[in-house]
């Protein structure tokens, strides 16, 4: 049976419904959507199969530079199928310029440093590869630390006049030693105290490929494989790795797709 096709929805809402699909979350670059379909359905996003829980929940997300439209397909247990074309709102990202940094803070200077960065990158990629049926993300998210927002998702950093990759996290400036709490429940998939760029680094998996990373930590209070509940203190803020001062860099990924953590929690509480 041929699938029905629905036109793109308006991007300024937070929920979408069709015959058997519900999507909650911002339809914007960097946004995470929590979907619900009839239990037993199969889902594909941009042609790639998506894990669906027993009660029909699933996750999809839009990267920083996601195109204007994305394709979602659902096959129902009764043999029906449906296709939706999702409209994705485009965002404008700020440019940050930081001058006067020591050269070592801008780029590695030796092949040994490049090797360390590549090794660290492989470790983080492996930690984000977990595809677990847990649905800890359904409890929602909280800010992992409180403080001044000193860096935002998607911003382009120019260090000593050299353009760098966009920033994929939210930076929270706070004194060294400030408690870092799990924004949602999950399992620790990475706990490394001395990565070259990110210093003390934790990755917590929240289920279905959704994970949080916490960078520049001064102290890690959990170990790999440990189960943590939302709100538990898992680390302390620091300035380790390549950091210009004490802060928490919080990042959220859906597998390799980088999302905006701020869209999960709303404004920073005063």
């Amino acid at each position: 049976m041929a699938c029905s096709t629905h036109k793109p929805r308006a991007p300024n809402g937070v929920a979408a419904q069709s015959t058997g699909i519900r999507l909650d979350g911002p339809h914007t670059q960097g946004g995470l959507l929590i979907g619900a379909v009839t239990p037993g359905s199969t889902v594909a996003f941009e042609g790639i199969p998506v894990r669906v829980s027993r009660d029909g929940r699933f996750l999809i997300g839009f990267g920083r530079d996601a195109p204007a439209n994305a394709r979602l397909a659902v096959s129902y247990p009764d043999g029906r199928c449906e296709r939706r074309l999702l409209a994705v709102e485009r965002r404008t990202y700020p440019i940050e310029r930081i001058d006067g940094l020591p050269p070592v803070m801008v780029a590695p200077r030796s092949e040994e440093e490049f090797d360390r960065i590549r090794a660290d990158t492989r470790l983080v990629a492996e930690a984000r590869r977990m595809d677990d049926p847990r649905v800890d993300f359904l409890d929602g998210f909280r800010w992992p630390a409180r403080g001044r927002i000193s860096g935002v998702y998607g911003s382009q950093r120019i260090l000593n006049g050299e353009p760098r990759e966009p920033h994929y996290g939210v930076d929270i400036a706070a004194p060294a030693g400030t408690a870092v709490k799990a924004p949602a429940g999950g399992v620790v998939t990475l706990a490394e105290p001395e990565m070259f760029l990110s210093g003390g680094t934790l990755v917590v998996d929240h289920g279905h490929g959704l994970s949080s990373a916490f960078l520049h930590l001064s102290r890690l209070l959990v170990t790999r494989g440990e189960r943590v509940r939302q709100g538990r203190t898992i680390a302390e803020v620091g300035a380790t790795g390549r950091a210009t001062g004490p802060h928490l860099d919080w990042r959220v990924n859906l597998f390799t797709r980088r999302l905006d953590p701020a869209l999960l929690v709303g404004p920073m509480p005063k």
Side-chain angles (χ1 to χ4, degrees), residues 106-249:
V106 177
R109 297 176 296 177
S110 67
E111 188 61 32
E112 180 182 358
E113 291 177 345
F114 277 115
D115 288 342
R116 281 197 62 190
I117 292 171
R118 284 190 285 262
D120 290 347
T121 299
R122 288 192 293 269
L123 286 175
V124 173
E126 181 62 29
R128 287 172 169 161
R129 197 169 289 132
M130 176 180 276
D131 186 6
D132 195 277
R134 288 175 297 102
V135 289
D136 294 317
F137 55 83
L138 290 180
D139 291 334
F141 283 76
R142 304 174 185 173
W143 283 100
R146 295 192 180 186
R148 178 178 60 87
I149 302 299
S150 58
V152 297
Y153 170 90
S155 59
Q156 180 75 46
R157 290 180 169 179
I158 300 177
L159 306 182
N160 291 355
E162 297 183 16
R164 314 302 292 176
E165 284 193 6
H167 183 47
Y168 291 110
V170 173
D171 290 339
I172 305 167
T178 299
V180 176
K181 300 183 178 183
V187 173
V188 179
T189 56
L190 181 75
E192 291 289 333
E194 295 182 6
M195 286 191 153
F196 184 78
L197 295 177
S198 57
T201 304
L202 282 177
V203 176
V204 176
D205 177 83
H206 306 297
H208 284 225
L210 185 68
S211 64
S212 287
F214 311 94
L215 284 56
H216 308 300
L217 304 170
S218 61
R219 187 180 177 199
L220 281 58
L221 302 176
V222 292
T223 58
R224 187 173 180 269
E226 194 168 347
R227 186 81 160 85
V228 297
R229 294 181 179 180
Q230 185 182 59
R232 175 180 169 183
T233 300
I234 56 176
E236 294 178 357
V237 170
T240 57
R242 293 302 180 262
T244 56
H247 72 284
L248 173 66
D249 184 346

Side-chain angles (χ1 to χ4, degrees), residues 6 9 13-27 32-39 41 43 50-53 55-60 62 72-74 76 82 84 86 137-138:
H6 293 254
R9 48 147 287 154
V14 296
Q17 287 184 314
S18 60
T19 309
I21 306 172
R22 178 177 175 83
L23 296 173
D24 291 301
H27 287 60
L32 173 74
L33 302 184
I34 299 178
V37 290
T38 305
S41 301
V43 177
V50 173
R51 175 181 286 279
V52 181
S53 66
D55 63 353
R57 304 297 184 93
F58 65 94
L59 296 177
I60 60 175
F62 307 115
L72 181 68
V74 177
Y76 299 104
E82 182 178 355
R84 295 202 60 204
L86 307 178
F137 55 83
L138 290 180

